[in-house]
Amino acid sequence: MNAPASILDAIPRRLHLQPDHPLLITRKLIESRFPGYKTHNNLFPIVSTAQNFDALGFPADHVGRNRTDTYYINKETVLRTHTSAHQADTFRANESEGYLIAADVYRRDAVDRSHYPVFHQMEGARTWDRAQAAKEGKSLADIIWADVEKIPKHDVVVEDPNPTIHPERNPLQATHSADEVEAIAAHLKRSLEDMVITIFNAAKSATDAQNTSAEPLKIRWVEAYFPFTSPSWELEVWWQGEWLEVLGSGIVSQPILNNASVPDRVGWAFGLGLERIAMLLYSIPDIRLFWSKDSRFLSQFSEQGPIKTFVPFSKFPACFKDVSFWLQARKSPAGGAGATAAPAPSNQPPAPTSTSPGSASSAIVPPAAPAPAVPTFHENDVMEIAREVGGDLIEDVRLVDEFEHPKTGRKSLCYRINYRSLERTLTNEETNELHEKLRAVLVERLGVELR
Ligand code: PHE
């Protein structure tokens, strides 16, 4: 179990169901572009590792499974890290050709203005029945192409330079024909373009009112990789001078459908982060605001009428404080690979904690087993301690310095904490107190030595 109370407390908030909340409005805007798709907005966030990872074909050593990245309730139970955790079950229920899922998801991650350990995703899928097509004496591809024609047309410039199928980078699945995949890919792209263009046109009309140098909308498809789709793509939007990734998508892995007892179905799926979209739609500058109960935030959003840009209720002063510490040197019995692991970027497989002694306990709690057990350091532990101690009073945590002692080989890290409330000016006393507490908890949990 590595989920702190502050995270469990978020479970009942269900912001995507809160009337007039920007996440609810964004969800409904997306739903409005998928008529006939069955919506699921009440799925419980605690799922099995089978649902979250195994059913989706995540390899056993995938970094997403790490305790440093994922909240475990016990060895086989997690707080879902994505809405895809419900794909297999939703396909198995086989209630509709298309579905949409909106839900809170949980990930241990950085602390800054666009990352929060709880956020919301929306997932969608559309499948067709091969056996049904055969029964009707029609080709599945023809049926799908006819459905493509029903999707509203748009005139936005779309860059899509890659072939649908690339043998190495974006392979066709063994049980699919190229004809089928061309048709499914066209349906996927047209459906998702329609949704994204609707959202960004709404965002543009909200921001163009203040912005005279408004650029026309542009979108592009980029090849991607997910364990549970192939071929796979991301959709990017040209927004305020940069390409921005807005969603992941692809042709559903056939084994998922086969294992869900719907082997005759084939189709596509996508997933996106609701906060990211809502932040653009409303120009919301900080992800913590979604959790605010302050009426100066909440009163600015309404399900009625057009999207209106969020007006920040003045920016309160920032207060930066640094904390530096030595990581404990590892005393390896074999005299082998020296010091404690450095903070690994989350896309690199860190040393598997599952093979170390005492692994049933959290990586942030030194294992109860006697030496030579070594607490493994991961940057996400610092991030989480900051959120636990500072709550929403911390805006950002950043590694600002890293140093290895030339003689002892010990490593020292310096993190800069930005204390800033969204609602008021913090007093010196208050930030000092929080910072002292943070320093103490770092020592207690991570076994580091303050400098
Ligand atoms: N689950 C993926 C994520 O969290 C998004 C995704 C969903 C990609 C469905 C493809 C298909 O990043």
Side-chain angles (χ1 to χ4, degrees):
M1 167 75 178
N2 63 347
S6 55
I7 294 297
L8 300 175
D9 287 348
I11 293 177
R13 293 289 301 276
R14 294 147 58 91
L15 300 178
H16 60 295
L17 298 179
Q18 184 176 314
D20 289 324
H21 193 278
L23 293 177
L24 171 136
I25 299 170
T26 307
R27 164 175 72 77
K28 289 197 165 174
L29 184 57
I30 295 172
E31 286 172 352
S32 73
R33 304 313 296 177
F34 295 96
Y37 285 53
K38 187 173 166 66
T39 56
H40 302 269
N41 294 318
N42 282 300
L43 298 171
F44 193 61
I46 298 176
V47 301
S48 66
T49 48
Q51 290 169 299
N52 200 81
F53 299 120
D54 304 342
L56 296 164
F58 278 71
D61 62 352
H62 192 279
V63 341
R65 293 183 186 256
N66 254 292
R67 324 172 41 77
T68 51
D69 291 49
T70 297
Y71 291 109
Y72 279 80
I73 301 299
N74 61 40
K75 208 161 174 272
E76 269 124 39
T77 315
V78 296
L79 289 171
R80 68 184 155 221
T81 64
H82 55 174
T83 42
S84 304
H86 301 292
Q87 257 192 34
D89 294 338
T90 314
F91 287 136
R92 183 173 295 107
N94 201 14
E95 295 171 321
S96 59
E97 295 192 301
Y99 68 75
L100 293 170
I101 295 169
D104 38 319
V105 301
Y106 300 76
R107 292 187 197 173
R108 304 186 77 221
D109 209 332
V111 170
D112 61 39
R113 281 187 293 163
S114 59
H115 290 86
Y116 203 79
V118 190
F119 60 104
H120 297 75
Q121 278 191 334
M122 202 148 168
E123 178 115 358
R126 172 73 161 93
T127 59
W128 291 264
D129 190 335
R130 260 190 198 149
Q132 182 63 31
K135 223 185 281 167
E136 292 170 15
K138 292 188 195 152
S139 102
L140 184 71
D142 287 348
I143 293 178
I144 298 170
W145 280 113
D147 285 336
V148 173
E149 286 309 308
K150 297 175 198 157
I151 303 165
K153 304 213 169 9
H154 66 76
D155 53 12
V156 168
V157 175
V158 180
E159 293 178 22
D160 191 5
N162 296 302
T164 308
I165 298 155
H166 186 283
E168 285 99 44
R169 298 194 309 256
N170 229 356
L172 183 69
Q173 297 177 48
T175 54
H176 293 167
S177 77
D179 271 6
E180 286 169 352
V181 166
E182 289 291 351
I184 300 170
H187 195 278
L188 173 161
K189 288 178 178 173
R190 291 275 289 279
S191 304
L192 300 177
E193 284 165 12
D194 171 72
M195 178 261 290
V196 164
I197 289 167
T198 304
I199 289 170
F200 280 82
N201 276 336
K204 262 175 72 62
S205 14
T207 51
D208 286 356
Q210 302 148 5
N211 183 357
T212 43
S213 62
E215 276 186 87
L217 208 54
K218 241 187 340 185
I219 61 182
R220 73 176 181 195
W221 288 99
V222 179
E223 290 176 337
Y225 172 81
F226 301 101
F228 39 94
T229 52
S230 188
S232 308
W233 303 276
E234 279 163 0
L235 181 52
E236 298 186 342
V237 177
W238 182 254
W239 184 250
Q240 296 177 344
E242 56 176 339
W243 284 108
L244 210 98
E245 178 201 319
V246 286
L247 60 83
S249 64
I251 310 295
V252 179
S253 241
Q254 207 56 39
I256 299 175
L257 293 157
N258 298 349
N259 294 335
S261 307
V262 285
D264 290 331
R265 302 201 76 89
V266 289
W268 57 260
F270 81 95
L272 57 75
L274 276 177
E275 274 83 350
R276 169 160 239 203
I277 305 271
M279 286 172 89
L280 301 168
L281 254 181
Y282 290 100
S283 308
I284 295 173
D286 191 308
I287 196 166
R288 293 174 292 168
L289 281 162
F290 292 104
W291 301 88
S292 175
K293 294 173 182 170
D294 192 318
S295 67
R296 289 172 296 176
F297 176 74
L298 294 172
S299 67
Q300 296 198 29
F301 308 94
S302 165
E303 287 170 62
Q304 263 75 56
I307 304 288
K308 280 202 267 80
T309 298
F310 170 69
V311 185
F313 32 99
S314 84
K315 189 143 175 154
F316 299 96
C319 174
F320 293 94
K321 289 190 189 287
D322 290 356
V323 55
S324 304
F325 50 81
W326 294 106
L327 296 174
Q328 286 308 50
R330 171 184 286 182
K331 298 205 173 48
S332 161
T340 314
S346 55
N347 60 353
Q348 272 179 31
T353 48
S354 56
T355 56
S356 58
S359 67
S361 66
S362 163
I364 59 171
V365 180
V374 170
T376 319
F377 178 84
H378 192 289
E379 176 158 282
N380 280 351
D381 295 333
V382 175
M383 298 294 167
E384 184 152 283
I385 289 170
R387 278 283 188 229
E388 259 185 272
V389 171
D392 286 355
L393 301 180
I394 293 179
E395 176 171 296
D396 186 287
V397 177
R398 239 171 331 137
L399 181 68
V400 288
D401 191 37
E402 217 173 329
F403 164 78
E404 198 170 310
H405 194 283
K407 287 202 184 117
T408 63
R410 282 173 102 199
K411 196 161 186 178
S412 159
L413 302 177
C414 177
Y415 282 92
R416 181 156 298 162
I417 321 290
N418 178 9
Y419 294 89
R420 190 206 312 256
S421 164
L422 292 162
E423 288 157 9
R424 61 197 172 83
T425 299
L426 297 176
T427 66
N428 259 333
E429 255 175 359
E430 215 173 349
T431 41
N432 285 338
E433 215 170 280
L434 284 173
H435 198 63
E436 278 314 309
K437 174 123 190 260
L438 174 70
R439 287 163 56 88
V441 178
L442 286 172
V443 172
E444 185 187 306
R445 299 267 190 89
L446 306 184
V448 300
E449 186 185 324
L450 297 176
R451 298 187 58 183

